[in-house]
Amino acid sequence: MKAIIDVIQMRYSVRNYSSRPIEKDKIQQIEAYLKNNTQGPLGCKVRFELIDAMDYEPAELKEFGTYGFIKGPRVYIAGVVKSNATSMEDFGYCMEKNILFATSLGLGTCWLGGTLNRSTFLEKMNAVEDELLPAATPVGYAEDNKTLKDRFIRLAVGAKNRKPPEELFFDHSNKTPLDLNSLGLYSIVLDAVRIAPSASNKQPWRIIKDAGNKYHIYMKEDAAYNATFKNIKIQNLDMGIAMCHFELAAIELGLKGEWTIEKPALESGDLKYIVSWVG
Ligand SMILES: Cc1cc2nc3c(=O)[nH]c(=O)nc-3n(C[C@H](O)[C@H](O)[C@H](O)COP(=O)(O)O)c2cc1C
């Protein structure tokens, strides 16, 4: 397996897939990975499935609802989670692990939280009543020549752009930007968060460093946007993705720590507290 920080840097949203099928052994590796990826860091269980639509007719493919936005995918990873206080963060964390695993196999992916037909995916997953389907991703080889539409969507959502560190990372309050030069290896960890995918590339993650190696993770919520899909809080998925990148980068760099939920007594303005990394 490739180094995870390299994989994090390699990943981008692929919206145009080639007709080249995924090799059987890669499908099996993904299926085995999904089977073991069931436990979120904040306690919720998740369930993922690979949906192989290789033999589907165009009309059936259309039912996935990605038609027009996402071109040509035949395989999807979808997942469900039971509704709970931290189900979105847990799902985001686990789904991003799947995405990085597929990326490490040379496959393209694209988080779909908006442009998908949830009822089709719920049906394919035989979901029970209290299971939510927050998102899915196509999986497949990227078409080399990006279509105009793909380029247009990437441009429209500012796909290559990320906020500079001083807008995301702070020192002891939401006011003072963090001096990354003073952090040692943690500066690499924070950069792994900075380049994470997020819904509409809104990058809602904010991190306030406390004493020692304690990092509090907050969400700068766009409340109207986050209410678009009712009980599916798309920006809380982003927060789980940030936790995934933070933790995997830290582990790879030999930085030990764990997630806890605290009540940090720091000035944080309108930021919503999510979780803390205690290193
Ligand atoms: C939770 C979530 C939901 C997303 N939903 C969609 C979607 O419905 N359709 C889509 O084309 N892209 C979707 N994206 C992809 C983002 O637009 C993309 O990650 C962001 O613009 C950054 O670009 P990059 O992934 O190429 O780095 C979603 C991303 C996340 C994290």
Side-chain angles (χ1 to χ4, degrees):
M1 173 119 180
K2 271 181 132 6
I4 198 72
I5 295 170
D6 291 346
V7 174
I8 285 172
Q9 284 168 348
M10 270 164 52
R11 186 216 55 83
Y12 70 96
S13 292
V14 172
R15 294 189 176 84
N16 186 19
Y17 291 85
S18 99
S19 55
R20 177 180 162 195
I22 305 174
E23 296 80 349
K24 273 225 160 60
D25 76 298
K26 287 192 181 179
I27 292 280
Q28 283 166 356
Q29 285 184 62
I30 295 171
E31 280 177 331
Y33 191 86
L34 300 184
K35 211 169 164 187
N36 286 318
N37 186 16
T38 58
Q39 183 64 55
L42 300 177
C44 296
K45 288 253 182 234
V46 293
R47 176 168 77 82
F48 293 109
E49 266 180 45
L50 192 99
I51 299 171
D52 188 343
M54 253 349 254
D55 302 324
Y56 284 31
E57 300 293 330
E60 276 181 290
L61 285 172
K62 214 171 173 173
E63 286 174 14
F64 289 104
T66 62
Y67 205 76
F69 291 100
I70 309 290
K71 196 167 161 277
R74 290 293 177 129
V75 175
Y76 291 89
I77 296 171
V80 289
V81 63
K82 291 200 174 170
S83 180
N84 199 310
T86 61
S87 46
M88 294 298 127
E89 288 81 0
D90 279 319
F91 184 93
Y93 172 99
C94 294
M95 183 62 145
E96 182 65 3
K97 277 189 163 176
N98 297 336
I99 294 227
L100 295 175
F101 185 70
T103 308
S104 77
L105 297 177
L107 297 166
T109 59
C110 182
W111 268 91
L112 300 178
T115 56
L116 81 167
N117 185 346
R118 286 205 166 78
S119 57
T120 300
F121 280 100
L122 282 165
E123 196 185 307
K124 301 279 177 214
M125 287 208 59
N126 298 315
V128 295
E129 210 169 285
D130 59 342
E131 284 182 324
L132 301 171
L133 191 137
T137 176
V139 187
Y141 287 100
E143 189 75 272
D144 285 334
N145 295 322
K146 289 201 175 90
T147 61
L148 211 58
K149 185 166 226 162
D150 186 72
R151 277 193 231 142
F152 172 76
I153 294 176
R154 283 173 66 78
L155 205 69
V157 296
K160 281 211 174 112
N161 308 331
R162 293 295 191 268
K163 293 182 194 297
E166 58 271 23
E167 287 183 33
L168 301 173
F169 310 130
F170 300 91
D171 201 353
H172 284 86
S173 81
N174 64 330
K175 301 275 184 323
T176 320
L178 192 54
D179 173 13
L180 296 184
N181 294 323
S182 67
L183 300 183
L185 292 174
Y186 270 102
S187 66
I188 302 173
V189 172
L190 295 188
D191 204 57
V193 173
R194 199 179 70 87
I195 61 177
S198 59
S200 299
N201 203 22
K202 282 178 175 282
Q203 306 160 67
W205 353 272
R206 300 290 180 272
I207 298 183
I208 305 182
K209 185 182 181 297
D210 206 334
N213 285 322
K214 194 180 267 193
Y215 291 85
H216 303 296
I217 320 271
Y218 296 82
M219 170 170 67
K220 186 161 180 62
E221 185 184 37
D222 178 336
Y225 180 74
N226 208 17
T228 314
F229 300 103
K230 294 197 181 113
N231 48 5
I232 288 166
K233 300 284 176 224
I234 204 157
Q235 293 199 298
N236 294 72
L237 295 174
D238 294 341
M239 299 311 298
I241 297 170
M243 290 172 70
C244 173
H245 283 212
F246 192 113
E247 182 184 316
L248 294 183
I251 290 172
E252 184 162 281
L253 295 166
L255 302 168
K256 292 199 172 60
E258 57 182 21
W259 297 112
T260 61
I261 293 184
E262 305 193 342
K263 284 201 173 67
L266 300 177
E267 195 187 340
S268 55
D270 61 353
L271 301 178
K272 276 196 173 173
Y273 174 73
I274 303 289
V275 70
S276 305
W277 172 265
V278 184

